[in-house]
Amino acid sequence: MTENSQAQPAANPELPTQYAPAEVEGKLYERWVERGYFEADEKSGKPPYTIVIPPPNVTGSLHLGHAFEHTIIDALTRRKRMQGYETLWQPGMDHAGIATQNVVERELAKEGKSRHDLGRTDFVERVWQWKEESGGQISGQMRRLGDGVAWSRERFTMDEGLSAAVQTIFKRLFDDGLIYRAERIINWCPRCLTAISDIEVEYQDDNGELVSIKYGDGDETLVVATTRAETMLGDTAVAVHPDDARYTHLVGRRIKLPLTDRTIPVVADEHVDPEFGTGAVKVTPAHDPNDFEIGRRHDLPNITVMDERAVITVPGPFQGLDRFEARSTIVAALRAEGRIVAEKRPYVHSVGHCSRCKTTVEPRLSLQWWVKVGPLAKAAGDAVRDGRVTIHPKEMESRYFAWIDNLNDWNISRQLWWGHRIPVWHGPNGETVAVGPNDEPPTGEGWSQDTDVLDTWFSSGLWPFSTLGWPEQTPSLEKFYPNSVLVTGYDILFFWVARMMMFGLYAMDGTPPFHTIALHGMVRDQFGKKMSKSFGNAVDPLEWMDKYGSDAVRFTLARGANPGVDVPIGEDWVQGSRNFANKIWNATRFAMMNGATVEGPLPEAAQMSATDRWILSRLNETVAQVDALYEDYQFAKLSDALFHFAWDEVFDWYVELSKTTFFAGGEQAKVSGRVLGEVLDVTLRLLHPIVPFVTETLWTTLTGKESVVVADWPADSGFRDQAAEREIEHLQQVVTEVRRFRADQGLQPGQKVPGRLDLSATPLAAHETAIRQLLRLQEEGDAFQATATLPVAGATVALDLSGTIDVPAERKRLTKDRDAAEKEKQQATAKLGNEAFLAKAPDNVVDKIRGRLAKAEADIERLTAQLAALPED
């Protein structure tokens, strides 16, 4: 029977000819949720596997960073569920104090109102109303992505249970002397009107000015340099180093502070670097953290010169000016008095900005609540050092220790209305009482609750156990704590991870909140640049999901997920992943049309062809490889392994090699059909955690079973056949080399040419028909003329190209290309031989030229071989 006359079975009516993600994904997800696949039962006897979602802000929407992180977590939990674990992926949202308050205040501003017009109670009620109506859109977007979270357990950091947890741990820390109230220099945002923590300050290089100012007169003159001239109104000293001989005579004396009627002392302090600038520094204890410490050591007064909006409050000509207006005005006044010694503009220096509103942060002396982190941080460091908690990748440990071992006390109070109000009551005579969730607050005249709220990270630091019902000893807490792994970005190692470690160890009697911390990088654009709306390169993942399907977005992100390393992503890569999903669909559909089945046991090895044994051997090797990579959180490598096994080995080689068997029919076709069914079954299950939608549709159609979500994870059966692998590798080498030659000669992939195939010196005789089809070789015929003969891996392939290519034109084209390569080689060789050039050129430029030389040499070799293989004109 000729190839064209072979009958094709009817298409499987259960699988459409094309995969349409939009018609599949939403329905599948709702079916999974309705069937309760993602719920977790604390009463089951299965071993637990717990991951908490890094709670997204209630104000937020799904961005690529979320999609990336959620893809990793979902893959881990889907696999563990298939492995027989009682899997809990805990969902929820963070109340996001500053961000949420800002959103609602902007809404009020549209009405011409402020929060003060409403008052605290009504404003908080307004925020709750906004949260119910507009907050949490990210939940719907998570469904689009396919997140397998336990929706019935969804929590919010300000719900009743979590609020009780916050009050409980606050009181315990307070009673243990680990929470206190004190005046310290904090980071103050004049826009958000609240303190923010060190890790909520973003530093960037700004263009400022550096002015050198003469303090004092005559022999009592010192020059100080500053970028913040407006703070001089709060100077209470000038400091010099004790060993600086230039200023020894001035230490202990008082000098005139310009523009004021005050004199200030000159103090000696070892903090001053005598080599920097003039070796003299102005000291403003109320507006600089280093100056504050100098002030404490020398008992200097603290003079606050700005209000909460960074407006000057010092009586005089500068009162009422914004800090930046005051800066230029004060410099002008100093210049007029001849006090400016030097000015440098622009002066580029690092300036802190509020991470939420981007306003320049103002260091400010303020009465705040603090956590004494010393013992908590030590416990968090010890848990990693003694192996109770593993950080992955291991090289990230040093960053963790650098932070946790040098942690300053944590400012936990925020001057906001939205958040967990600090559970402390102040009495009329200075009494301070911390109140737990079951305590009655003190009442009577003069008692009032503290007006501040807690830092958002305080409540999210309790997330691994508060979501499970703590402080109650619930069955969920007993079953699912500690969490198995925390998956999060290295960028919040200090924001969130350190907080959870400290609180978990403290609240749970030394049991850390998770066994493993798996850190990933940030998603960047295809050029490695940070994604940002201001850069114009931010991407809404929903647009890509609409265009290419959620599986394509997930697979693209997983293929870039190397532990702790940033992830570049571009739309063309998502297109490639969409093509992969289509390939899975089309190849599986074709296989099912041609006899692939999961019915009955696998045939004995003796009944299988070498091709069958090869693919089963490769399948089991892939199962083992993927398992090992999952355990090492190597998502990029395991995704790549699955991609190449599915596309290259299963679809491009095994299916193609088996076509002749399927078309021939008979017993061998049944054997190969069962083998192909097994390979598809296992491959779809391996792929499912990363691309859940297309695999669910194909697997349920192939097997007739309920859902791949609850199917068993594949196990390595141990079957290996090295001889079959070597045989098929030999075949692949022959086919690949001849295909390369055909391409070099300009033949189209499907173009048939007469050919003679001699496999007598190889073990490939049984594969001759398949090899001929793969190489598009026609029978020789009476007029066959071997114009090109290729010895490849022991085989000999003779081709008749006389009727397929214009030999003179092809020789001319190849000669022209080789001449160009020769010229490129000469130019690169000349540059690399030029010592003057090598001495001046950057390393990357030299490396690029070396690459050009290597490519030119390879091109010359390839083109020379192609010319030699051409028939004579």
Side-chain angles (χ1 to χ4, degrees), residues 562-755:
N562 289 297
V565 178
D566 288 346
V567 183
I569 184 172
E571 186 170 2
D572 54 338
W573 303 342
V574 186
Q575 291 175 357
S577 294
R578 186 269 315 273
N579 295 342
F580 180 51
N582 288 340
K583 181 76 169 182
I584 298 169
W585 181 273
N586 294 332
T588 302
R589 183 174 177 276
F590 173 85
M592 292 173 64
M593 289 165 50
N594 286 276
T597 179
V598 295
E599 297 297 324
L602 271 176
E604 296 293 329
Q607 298 176 268
M608 299 180 195
S609 67
T611 308
D612 295 333
R613 297 194 304 277
W614 162 73
I615 197 61
L616 287 177
S617 184
R618 293 295 307 129
L619 175 68
N620 281 288
E621 181 61 36
T622 301
V623 170
Q625 182 183 9
V626 167
D627 272 333
L629 292 170
Y630 259 115
E631 295 305 315
D632 200 33
Y633 302 97
Q634 296 279 358
F635 284 90
K637 291 181 179 179
L638 72 87
S639 299
D640 214 45
L642 286 169
F643 174 87
H644 288 293
F645 174 72
W647 191 307
D648 300 344
E649 297 187 277
V650 178
F651 302 142
D652 278 359
W653 284 106
Y654 181 72
V655 170
E656 292 297 320
L657 286 169
S658 300
K659 281 182 179 178
T660 54
T661 302
F662 291 137
F663 291 144
E667 195 61 33
Q668 192 58 50
K670 293 180 181 179
V671 170
S672 293
R674 179 64 188 90
V675 170
L676 180 53
E678 181 75 9
V679 171
L680 291 175
D681 172 16
V682 172
T683 302
L684 292 171
R685 282 186 281 153
L686 288 174
L687 283 165
H688 173 73
I690 299 175
V691 284
F693 295 108
V694 67
T695 52
E696 170 80 341
T697 305
L698 294 173
W699 189 85
T700 52
T701 304
L702 172 69
T703 65
K705 295 181 180 178
E706 178 185 351
S707 173
V708 70
V709 177
V710 290
D712 290 337
W713 180 253
D716 177 7
S717 71
F719 178 83
R720 300 290 193 279
D721 191 324
Q722 298 299 323
E725 290 200 35
R726 287 193 297 271
E727 184 172 324
I728 301 305
E729 286 171 6
H730 197 158
L731 181 153
Q732 290 171 327
Q733 186 178 358
V734 171
V735 172
T736 300
E737 288 299 319
V738 176
R739 280 177 171 172
R740 182 178 294 117
F741 176 79
R742 285 173 51 101
D744 288 342
Q745 302 307 314
L747 298 179
Q748 296 300 313
Q751 186 176 353
K752 294 184 177 181
V753 296

Side-chain angles (χ1 to χ4, degrees), residues 118-358:
L118 272 66
R120 183 167 193 145
T121 301
D122 288 346
F123 176 77
V124 170
E125 181 58 35
R126 179 72 175 259
V127 181
W128 275 108
Q129 180 184 339
W130 175 88
K131 185 261 181 186
E132 295 303 320
E133 294 175 357
S134 306
Q137 63 174 313
I138 200 168
S139 295
Q141 297 165 339
M142 287 166 59
R143 293 171 181 265
R144 285 288 314 278
L145 189 64
D147 287 1
V149 299
W151 286 113
S152 69
R153 293 172 174 264
E154 188 174 13
R155 304 301 299 270
F156 181 55
T157 50
M158 281 187 62
D159 67 28
E160 185 176 350
L162 269 65
S163 294
V166 167
Q167 293 172 33
T168 299
I169 200 163
F170 185 98
K171 180 169 172 54
R172 288 189 187 179
L173 289 163
F174 182 88
D175 290 346
D176 285 346
L178 295 174
I179 284 182
Y180 64 95
R181 198 180 190 209
E183 271 199 325
R184 297 282 189 277
I185 293 286
I186 48 87
N187 303 297
W188 181 265
C189 176
R191 160 62 185 81
C192 299
L193 298 179
T194 182
I196 58 176
S197 66
D198 291 345
I199 49 181
E200 292 169 303
V201 178
E202 293 179 347
Y203 287 91
Q204 66 184 46
D205 287 341
D206 286 358
N207 286 330
E209 60 180 359
L210 180 68
V211 293
S212 297
I213 308 168
K214 182 173 67 174
Y215 281 28
D217 294 297
D219 293 338
E220 297 179 346
T221 297
L222 284 170
V223 174
V224 301
T226 182
T227 59
R228 302 169 67 221
E230 68 280 7
T231 64
M232 69 170 290
L233 300 175
D235 286 359
T236 56
V238 172
V240 298
H241 193 274
D243 299 330
D244 194 335
R246 292 173 295 177
Y247 305 120
T248 303
H249 67 290
L250 290 176
V251 174
R253 298 172 70 175
R254 301 184 70 87
I255 62 174
K256 179 76 167 58
L257 178 64
L259 305 182
T260 74
D261 58 2
R262 294 191 290 118
T263 61
I264 56 176
V266 178
V267 299
D269 195 281
E270 292 186 352
H271 170 76
V272 179
D273 180 2
E275 302 299 323
F276 183 77
T278 64
V281 296
K282 59 193 288 296
V283 181
T284 320
H287 291 277
D288 182 275
N290 293 321
D291 292 3
F292 178 77
E293 294 302 325
I294 293 175
R296 291 177 68 181
R297 288 192 289 271
H298 298 275
D299 198 25
L300 300 174
N302 301 314
I303 300 177
T304 300
V305 300
M306 299 179 213
D307 66 12
E308 60 183 7
R309 298 183 184 276
V311 172
I312 301 298
T313 58
V314 178
F318 312 111
Q319 186 175 13
L321 295 179
D322 171 80
R323 54 182 166 164
F324 300 120
E325 294 175 314
R327 182 177 300 172
S328 57
T329 305
I330 287 171
V331 169
L334 290 166
R335 190 183 299 112
E337 289 191 3
R339 293 278 178 180
I340 300 296
V341 176
E343 298 180 67
K344 184 175 182 180
R345 295 188 187 87
Y347 178 71
V348 179
H349 62 133
S350 182
V351 177
H353 296 261
C354 174
S355 62
R356 289 174 177 82
C357 70
K358 312 308 177 186

Side-chain angles (χ1 to χ4, degrees), residues 518-570:
L519 297 172
H520 59 72
M522 298 171 63
V523 177
R524 297 182 177 272
D525 70 14
Q526 59 189 318
F527 305 108
K529 190 175 183 179
K530 182 180 178 180
M531 284 192 174
S532 167
K533 290 181 181 179
S534 61
F535 294 156
N537 63 350
V539 173
D540 181 355
L542 293 176
E543 293 182 6
W544 281 355
M545 284 189 264
D546 289 341
K547 196 170 181 180
Y548 304 110
S550 297
D551 284 332
V553 174
R554 290 170 63 116
F555 194 70
T556 304
L557 291 165
R559 286 194 81 180
N562 289 297
V565 178
D566 288 346
V567 183
I569 184 172

